């Protein structure tokens, strides 16, 4: 009698998988146990993107400088022989460490510009590496590079040493962003793809908000940097738990390896495994017959006319959302107040925006959601430009509307871009868009600094770019529920209007 339950469990029937046009999802299911586990596993690396890209807020937190020379008030004047930092809020920052004041004041901002440059380069480099050598090696390299370089920043002996390794941390962080997202998109089916892709952005918002908590309890910049870096040590588990993308292996002709990984996933999902090899081999033969196996490059995104238009319009959306999101957040922080609270508020706006994006993309589609969110950002920012002379509450309300719109756009462009580009150039496409987006985040602080010529200038520029993004979105096809394009030919034909038969 004791053995019957065990026998019953052993003979539990497998769950058949619905066959679709997607050969990978047809073997493992749309979203089952393994994909859920994989989602939470990959989710861990996303917290670091918020910590490392926005950590500068507290690494270079405002630290007032005063002159202790008698009868001299300006600490930057030649008459001032002795200065003193106010360390009542922050015991040490990079400002106090290397005296980044007076004629060296711009160096602090330069260090953050180098971070965004690192994200730009990392998105490009790791995107190409992932398409060329595989998602897994690129992902693992970026994860451990982030840990090692982040810890080295903690012991920086000089400012330029600090800048160099913060730049390298950013390169690695961009690599984790690009490759981890592609890994998820290539293993999740279309029914849950929008949910997974959008919820995947939540740790960034949480990471951004938690910076204020770290900084509140850790007021010394070296220990603060250590606290936001040491979490990356958990990435060692990825060596054993993150396999290569079976979709990438399939598309690049490594059918045997793809089958072995798919069989392991199918067993975890309690799906049949006996038909995986013949079906995958047949699907690959059909794929090869349509177009020989070819490793794509970034240039392939621009070789054909329709793919070129889609790439440019999608990259434009990334440029605008990065510019508007980071620029508006910085514009709000210029209104003053407690640095911990203002950072929490700016980050918190992204959480409901991301959650709303889940609902909108599911029921309205990617395209209409992007049009609405860009419209919301444009409305708030244009109103802010028109009402720039009004009270602080009115301006904050308008800026919040703009920031909320951008927070809905951010997860959507990740999802939309991941579905739009074909498998052979998906990492390169997402990497290119992310790279263009970082140009927007680099330019954003420069636009915000135009407030010295007029409070209306920065929001007007951000609003105008949001309108430009609306126009570009009109040329991008809807991807909701569609199979992921695999080859360059699929990428060119995807979204084209079919000519009626004669």
């Amino acid at each position: 009698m004791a053995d019957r339950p065990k026998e019953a469990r052993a003979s539990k029937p497998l769950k058949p998988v619905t066959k679709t046009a997607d050969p990978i999802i047809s073997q493992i299911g749309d979203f089952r146990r393994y994909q859920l586990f994989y989602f939470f596993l990959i989710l861990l690396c996303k917290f670091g993107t918020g910590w490392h890209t926005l950590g500068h807020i507290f690494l270079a937190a405002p630290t007032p400088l005063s002159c202790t020379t008698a009868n001299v008030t300006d600490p930057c004047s030649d008459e001032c022989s002795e200065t003193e930092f106010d360390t009542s809020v922050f015991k040490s920052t990079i400002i106090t460490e290397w005296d980044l004041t007076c004629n060296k004041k711009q160096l602090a901002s330069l260090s953050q510009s180098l971070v965004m440059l690192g994200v730009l380069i990392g998105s490009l480099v790791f995107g190409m590496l992932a398409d060329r050598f595989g998602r897994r090696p690129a992902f693992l390299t970026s994860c451990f590079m982030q840990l090692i370089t982040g810890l080295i920043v903690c012991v920086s002996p000089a400012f330029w040493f600090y800048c160099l390794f913060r730049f390298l941390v950013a390169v690695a962080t961009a690599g984790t962003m690009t490759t981890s997202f592609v890994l998820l998109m290539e293993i999740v089916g279309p029914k849950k793809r929008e949910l997974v892709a959008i919820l995947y952005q939540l740790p960034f918002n949480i990471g951004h908000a938690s910076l204020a908590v770290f900084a509140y309890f850790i007021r010394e910049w070296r220990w603060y940097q250590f606290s936001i870096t040491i979490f990356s040590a958990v990435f060692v588990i990825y060596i054993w738990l993150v396999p290569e993308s079976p979709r990438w292996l399939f598309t690049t002709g490594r059918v045997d390896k793809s089958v072995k990984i798919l069989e392991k996933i199918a067993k975890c999902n309690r799906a049949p495994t006996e038909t995986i090899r013949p079906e995958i081999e047949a699907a690959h033969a059909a794929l090869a017959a349509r177009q020989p196996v070819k490793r794509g490059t970034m240039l392939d995104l621009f070789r054909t006319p329709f793919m070129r238009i889609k790439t440019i319009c999608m990259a434009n959306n990334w440029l605008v959302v990065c510019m508007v999101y980071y620029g508006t957040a910085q514009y709000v922080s210029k209104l003053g107040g407690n640095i911990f609270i203002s950072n929490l508020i700016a980050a918190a706006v992204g959480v409901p925006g991301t959650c709303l994006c889940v609902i909108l993309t599911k029921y309205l589609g990617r395209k209409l959601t992007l049009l609405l969110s860009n419209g919301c950002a444009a409305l708030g920012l244009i109103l802010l430009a028109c009402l720039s002379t009004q009270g602080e509450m009115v301006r904050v309300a308008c800026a919040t509307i703009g920031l909320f719109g951008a927070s809905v756009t951010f997860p959507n462009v990740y999802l939309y871009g991941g579905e739009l580009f074909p498998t052979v150039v998906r990492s390169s496409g997402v990497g290119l868009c992310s790279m263009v987006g970082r140009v927007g985040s680099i330019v954003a602080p420069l636009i915000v600094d135009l407030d010295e010529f007029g409070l209306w200038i920065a929001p007007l520029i951000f609003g105008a770019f949001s309108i430009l993004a609306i126009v570009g979105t009109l040329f991008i096809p809807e991807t909701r529920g569609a199979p992921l394009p695999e080859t360059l030919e699929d990428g060119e034909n995807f979204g084209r209007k079919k000519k009626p038969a004669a």
Side-chain angles (χ1 to χ4, degrees):
M1 295 293 290
D3 291 335
R4 287 184 181 178
K6 187 175 180 179
E7 292 173 0
R9 287 195 299 269
S11 61
K12 189 174 182 179
L14 299 175
K15 300 177 182 177
V17 178
T18 303
K19 300 300 180 181
T20 68
D22 189 322
I24 302 299
I25 302 304
S26 292
Q27 312 307 320
I28 61 177
D30 200 88
F31 191 80
R32 293 190 178 182
R33 289 197 309 172
Y34 181 83
Q35 284 101 325
L36 180 63
F37 163 76
Y38 196 75
F39 169 68
F40 284 112
L41 180 68
I42 297 295
L43 208 66
L44 295 175
C45 76
K46 190 65 177 178
F47 289 95
T49 62
W51 291 335
H52 291 293
T53 57
L54 297 167
H56 178 79
I57 295 171
F58 297 105
L59 287 168
T63 313
L65 179 68
S66 59
C67 181
T68 57
T69 304
N71 301 321
V72 180
T73 57
D74 184 3
C76 295
S77 67
D78 295 334
E79 290 79 17
C80 182
S81 58
E82 294 184 10
T83 58
E84 183 180 43
F85 284 102
D86 179 359
T87 57
S88 60
V89 178
F90 295 97
K91 292 181 179 180
S92 71
T93 64
I94 64 169
I95 307 296
T96 63
E97 181 82 17
W98 293 297
D99 193 22
L100 304 182
T101 58
C102 301
N103 60 343
K104 295 191 292 182
K105 186 177 181 180
Q106 300 302 318
L107 292 179
S109 297
L110 175 62
S111 69
Q112 179 63 5
S113 295
L114 290 174
V115 167
M116 289 304 179
L117 178 63
V119 174
L120 184 154
I121 293 174
S123 300
L124 175 65
V125 171
F126 278 98
M128 291 190 294
L129 289 176
D131 281 335
R132 175 69 61 176
F133 301 107
R135 296 7 178 172
R136 185 177 187 270
F139 177 61
L140 292 179
T141 299
S142 61
C143 285
F144 291 111
M145 179 180 172
Q146 183 186 81
L147 171 62
I148 295 169
T149 54
L151 291 176
I152 292 175
V153 169
C154 302
V155 294
S156 299
F159 175 68
W160 292 110
F161 186 94
Y162 165 87
C163 288
L164 171 62
F165 280 91
R166 278 277 288 161
F167 168 81
L168 293 176
V169 170
V171 171
T173 300
T176 65
M177 284 193 288
T178 303
T179 56
S180 63
F181 180 74
V182 172
L183 278 167
L184 271 178
M185 287 297 94
E186 292 187 342
I187 207 170
V188 175
K191 292 181 181 178
K192 292 291 188 295
R193 193 177 293 143
E194 69 267 20
L195 179 66
V196 169
I198 294 169
L199 291 182
Y200 174 68
Q201 307 305 321
L202 274 179
F204 175 87
N205 303 123
I206 297 171
H208 180 188
S210 65
L211 284 173
V213 179
F214 282 113
Y216 183 81
F217 290 103
I218 306 172
R219 306 295 180 96
E220 297 181 15
W221 78 266
R222 292 182 187 272
W223 286 109
Y224 166 78
Q225 171 67 23
F226 179 82
S227 69
I228 63 177
T229 301
I230 195 60
F231 178 80
S232 298
V234 75
F235 295 163
V236 70
I237 65 174
Y238 288 157
I239 296 175
W240 298 281
L241 297 180
V242 176
E244 182 55 88
S245 165
R247 186 180 298 276
W248 180 82
L249 291 169
F250 167 78
T251 306
T252 54
R254 298 165 174 83
V255 177
D256 189 59
K257 291 182 178 179
S258 178
V259 167
K260 289 179 180 178
I261 294 174
L262 288 172
E263 286 176 343
K264 290 181 180 179
I265 297 174
K267 288 178 182 178
C268 181
N269 286 344
R270 295 177 182 169
T273 60
E274 63 275 4
T275 60
I276 291 180
R277 182 171 292 277
E279 289 185 7
I280 287 294
E281 289 177 348
H284 183 264
L287 180 69
R290 285 194 292 129
Q291 180 170 316
V293 174
K294 178 185 176 183
R295 293 180 179 179
T297 67
M298 192 168 289
L299 292 177
D300 291 318
L301 296 169
F302 301 93
R303 291 190 193 281
T304 52
F306 194 42
M307 191 72 245
R308 181 164 55 245
I309 292 173
K310 291 184 289 187
T311 299
I312 292 172
C313 291
M314 181 56 68
N316 177 61
N317 266 291
W318 282 67
L319 172 75
V320 173
V321 70
C322 287
M323 180 191 297
V324 170
Y325 186 87
Y326 290 112
T328 305
Q330 185 174 337
Y331 189 90
V332 172
S333 68
K334 282 199 168 190
L335 297 176
N338 185 291
I339 187 172
F340 305 106
I341 295 176
S342 62
N343 184 70
L344 273 171
I345 293 173
V349 171
V351 175
T354 299
C355 294
L356 180 61
C357 189
V358 174
I359 301 171
L360 293 179
T361 53
K362 181 175 181 62
Y363 295 102
L364 300 182
R366 287 64 158 144
K367 184 171 184 174
L368 182 55
T369 299
L370 195 54
L371 290 170
L372 291 174
S373 60
N374 279 323
C376 178
L379 174 64
L381 293 165
I382 296 297
L383 281 175
L384 179 57
C386 296
L387 303 174
S388 60
T389 58
Q390 300 300 310
E392 183 179 310
M393 291 296 294
V394 173
R395 286 183 285 141
V396 169
C398 293
T400 301
I401 294 172
L403 196 58
F404 179 77
S407 71
V408 176
T409 300
F410 232 125
N412 193 12
V413 292
Y414 269 92
L415 169 66
Y416 211 167
E419 293 180 332
L420 187 68
F421 298 114
T423 299
V424 290
V425 287
R426 183 166 296 117
S427 281
S428 293
V430 174
L432 172 67
C433 288
S434 183
M435 180 187 71
V436 173
R438 300 313 150 187
V439 173
S441 60
I442 291 171
V443 172
L446 304 178
I447 296 175
V448 172
D449 286 342
L450 295 175
D451 64 346
E452 62 181 287
F453 302 105
L455 290 174
W456 56 273
I457 298 177
L460 181 62
I461 293 174
F462 293 145
F465 269 94
S466 295
I467 294 174
L468 180 63
I470 293 174
V471 175
T473 303
L474 297 174
F475 297 94
I476 306 175
E478 179 59 70
T479 61
R480 180 180 57 167
L484 291 176
E486 302 288 356
T487 66
L488 296 175
E489 182 184 0
D490 292 340
E492 172 63 15
N493 294 330
F494 182 77
R496 278 189 180 277
K497 294 182 178 180
K498 296 181 180 180
K499 295 181 180 180

